[in-house]
Amino acid sequence: KGTSTTLLMLIATACSFVYFLIVHHDFTLLTYPFKFPDSWVWLVEALSYLGYDVGNAVLAPVTPLSFAFLINMGWEVAIPYRGIVFHHLMIPGLFLLVRSGTGSSRIALVASVLCLTSSSLLGNSLYIGSDVAANAMLLFAMLFFWLGVTRNRNHLWPMALCWGISALTQYAGFFLAFPFLAYLALNDRRLLRDLRVWASFALAGLLASSQFIYRYFEFGNLFYSRAKHLSLVRFHLDSVGQYAWWWVGFFSIPVLVVAAVGLWEVICRERYRKLGTLLVLWIVTMTVFFVFAYSWDDSRFVQYVAPQTLALAAIGLRRLIADLRAGAPAGSPGPALPSTTRQTEITRIDLGLR
């Protein structure tokens, strides 16, 4: 069963990726229609790395460096596909995280399908930018962190690499420190005394901070940037209504309702609680920053809570289906209909809830 669901996920992801390659193969970099103002900033930054006297904003370096590499190799036509590639890389990452955290390949498959078919995530991936790549690396950092603290500590090293690269792609990567440390404090405090944990955190921090070290020696200021991102960081409440509307538009009301059921499920059911804690801490961290601390409002920032929300929705959908088949009120906590009848027992086995 696990093998078949994994294979189905991979086939669906590959078909989707090939479809987007076919649809967009006639575009050049200049004629590609999906650009917003930041797209031009990233492209100009790439040209500055190639020695062109075009000025540069001095941004997080991974995106412009990758664009510069493609331009230098004569592959600039591939730049529009970068977001599409990272979007499709998120699918197996989310599948592995949810399967490892819930023990259910079916829940993982549902989460992956929700992510793969999300028109909002697909729409964001079409634009030339850096948020999709940063969010994908955040997801893989979270996956390897989860495997590192629950399976094998050696997974903490790829976690550090993905975390560092994410912070070098967009500054939002720095904020993973809070859900990581909060999770350890709530679920496994002994790991806070494990040197491998702190060594991996230090490696991620060193990798992420290398951009500021470069700026200090190049410009004499650790946080030098013409983009002035720090001036946008301030506590405010005037974005709450805007982001609430964007959340509904990004996910839809049915998905949010099912995700709320999933949130209730991870609170009530022990087998999902640890993964649920990590997902919720991740959502809270990104929400607090973008809604209350960052005054540049943009609907594309909602994608930073998308993998977690869709994972909760998959858990909630599994719960609703189980309750409907067993005849219990949808979303009720605990085992559905605590009956000892043979039919109820067979239903629970078929659904994989044992």
Side-chain angles (χ1 to χ4, degrees), residues 133-212:
N135 201 30
M137 297 311 296
L138 281 175
L139 174 61
F140 278 98
M142 189 63 70
L143 168 64
F144 287 119
F145 172 80
W146 172 260
L147 295 176
V149 298
T150 60
R151 302 286 180 86
N152 189 320
R153 301 292 179 268
N154 289 330
H155 287 107
L156 293 173
W157 305 119
M159 177 276 293
L161 180 63
C162 293
W163 186 5
I165 292 175
S166 176
L168 287 170
T169 306
Q170 277 285 27
Y171 302 128
F174 284 96
F175 303 118
L176 272 190
F178 174 76
F180 284 168
L181 292 174
Y183 174 85
L184 294 178
L186 292 171
N187 289 283
D188 203 341
R189 293 185 181 180
R190 64 184 177 81
L191 288 178
L192 291 173
R193 298 187 296 271
D194 192 320
L195 290 179
R196 288 170 294 181
V197 171
W198 291 107
S200 64
F201 281 18
L203 177 60
L206 180 63
L207 183 60
S209 62
S210 61
Q211 58 187 313
F212 302 121

Side-chain angles (χ1 to χ4, degrees), residues 264-279:
W264 182 248
E265 180 74 350
V266 300
I267 292 173
C268 296
R269 192 177 288 274
E270 179 68 28
R271 66 181 293 187
Y272 302 145
R273 193 167 298 157
K274 286 189 175 182
L275 177 65
T277 299
L278 190 59
L279 295 175

